[in-house]
Amino acid sequence: MQANVKIEKQIQSLLQNTIILDRRYLDDEQLERGEQFQILDEIFALDVRDAEIKELSSHFAPMFRGGHPVHLSLYGKTGTGKTVTMLYYLNMLQAICRKKKIDMMYIHLDLSTPKPCFRVLNDLACYLDASKRYKKGISLDELMGKIEEKMEGYRGYFIIFVDEIDHVRRDLDSFLKFLVKRLPQTVTLKLVLVFTSNASTGWRTSTPESSPF
């Protein structure tokens, strides 16, 4: 038997007898967000993450009696599912709030790639449609002011999900002070901050609560 025929038959045999139909599902980062949520639907239905979901539900439950949840920080090693689980939960939470006619919106600031404080705040301002994309020509304080001015028009609950908070390079203290201290004093909405990190120490303020994931 010629080598090319033998190889082709071997490949066909392996494809017919494989137990893995789609290798993308071995790495959720290769999946679209909708596919990730679809998998989580099945996982949560089997109570695989029941403890984590119950903890998140306990944290956000005050929203449904007019209360104000405190800030939340989640930490865990890379690949433990912090990001996709939190996004899935926030998506479900928003749907429940909409059903109960509770004003709620959330923004996801993805810091998987490290960025300086200015870039992160500029990302937030762009999400809010509060400013254009800047490279220079505007101060950090002016950028903060644009965010405050835009958010003043919102009502209800506003959740800012900062993913990999420890990846804020340069002026991390300024970033945290703005979100945790300054911003809540200048807006009338109920601001809730959610931080995730691979590191359990070294970046947290005293304000956010912390829980393992």
Side-chain angles (χ1 to χ4, degrees), residues 2-84:
Q2 291 183 346
N4 62 331
V5 176
K6 184 185 295 185
I7 291 172
E8 185 176 356
K9 285 189 174 182
Q10 289 173 344
I11 291 174
Q12 289 177 346
S13 176
L14 289 170
L15 291 176
Q16 291 171 355
N17 296 289
T18 183
I19 61 173
I20 302 173
L21 297 179
D22 190 339
R23 290 187 173 273
R24 292 184 308 129
Y25 286 86
L26 297 178
D27 182 359
D28 65 0
E29 292 184 358
Q30 296 184 34
L31 301 176
E32 298 291 335
R33 188 67 73 195
E35 292 176 313
Q36 293 175 341
F37 286 175
Q38 190 175 24
I39 292 172
L40 286 175
D41 272 330
E42 298 181 21
I43 290 174
F44 293 158
L46 296 174
D47 297 334
V48 174
R49 289 242 168 173
D50 192 54
E52 289 83 358
I53 292 300
K54 185 176 181 180
E55 187 170 350
L56 290 174
S57 294
S58 175
H59 189 86
F60 289 104
M63 292 172 55
F64 297 93
R65 57 172 181 264
H68 191 164
V70 297
H71 305 320
L72 175 69
S73 63
L74 305 173
Y75 64 91
K77 294 181 179 179
T78 301
T80 52
K82 301 182 299 297
T83 300
V84 70

